[in-house]
């Protein structure tokens, strides 16, 4: 029953999706009926993974879980929320650096899209040091970042 469902968009670059991201989705599923993981297209940034492979990696994690969808989008995050019927913006927070960034984004989003509520969840303590950028750095220097990736996901299958 669309409209009664609590739908959250979890937006990000997800280059690549990490254990930390997964912890946010898993916690989010206790609050929301459905989570749409939105991989944002960022024209000027050539990442480690192509957009297609970022989506494939996340889809591989959540295949069989009807409550999680994965899509790419290339518009303002708030506009995309409206398009997919998401009333909530889900974000993760590791530390005060994330806090400051998320705070500014939430202020702007609230001005432009007052009907959308930002929900920030703390990452579990074991993942506070996990980031996509550390994984990219490990891969760049030939190391396997398996410890930071969701279980059963091998980065080499997505490069
Ligand atoms: P962005 O480029 O939009 O920051 P990211 O893919 O880096 O996209 O992150 C998406 C969201 O996940 C952000 O809210 C970010 O703070 C959060 N996040 C990133 N790493 C972690 C982690 N280890 N634990 C919890 N949240 C995280």
């Amino acid at each position: 029953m669309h409209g009664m469902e609590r739908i959250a968009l979890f937006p990000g670059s997800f280059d690549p999706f990490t254990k930390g991201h997964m912890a946010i989705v898993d916690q989010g599923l206790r609050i929301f009926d459905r989570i749409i993981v939105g991989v944002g297209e960022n024209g000027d940034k050539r990442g480690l993974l192509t957009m297609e492979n970022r989506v494939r990696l996340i889809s591989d994690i959540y295949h069989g879980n009807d409550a999680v969808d994965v899509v790419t989008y290339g518009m303002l995050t708030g506009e995309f929320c409206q398009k997919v019927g998401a009333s909530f913006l889900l974000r993760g927070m590791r530390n005060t650096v994330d806090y400051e960034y998320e705070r500014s984004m939430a202020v702007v989003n609230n001005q432009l899209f007052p009907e959308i509520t930002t929900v920030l969840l703390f990452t579990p303590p074991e993942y506070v040091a996990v980031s996509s950028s550390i994984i990219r750095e490990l891969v760049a220097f030939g190391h396997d970042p398996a410890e930071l990736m969701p279980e059963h996901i091998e980065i080499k299958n997505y490069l």
Side-chain angles (χ1 to χ4, degrees), residues 74-148:
M75 64 181 79
L76 227 44
T77 299
E79 284 176 332
F80 190 61
C81 282
Q82 291 176 332
K83 190 174 167 200
V84 296
S87 308
F88 302 93
L89 253 178
L90 174 63
R91 297 283 288 178
M93 188 167 41
R94 288 163 288 193
N95 49 44
T96 55
V97 177
D98 281 352
Y99 169 84
E100 294 296 342
Y101 180 68
E102 297 301 334
R103 177 80 202 129
S104 329
M105 298 253 291
V107 167
V108 174
N109 277 321
N110 187 255
Q111 279 161 0
L112 296 176
F113 308 97
E115 72 287 1
I116 298 169
T117 302
T118 298
V119 176
L120 279 181
L121 297 179
F122 288 107
T123 193
E126 59 270 36
Y127 302 142
V128 289
V130 175
S131 71
S132 299
S133 60
I134 291 179
I135 292 176
R136 292 196 298 272
E137 178 112 346
L138 288 170
V139 171
F141 291 106
H143 289 264
D144 183 357
E147 301 237 319
L148 310 182

Side-chain angles (χ1 to χ4, degrees), residues 16-27:
F17 194 86
T18 71
K19 268 187 173 171
H21 294 134
M22 195 172 173
I24 299 301
V25 171
D26 290 351
Q27 288 185 69

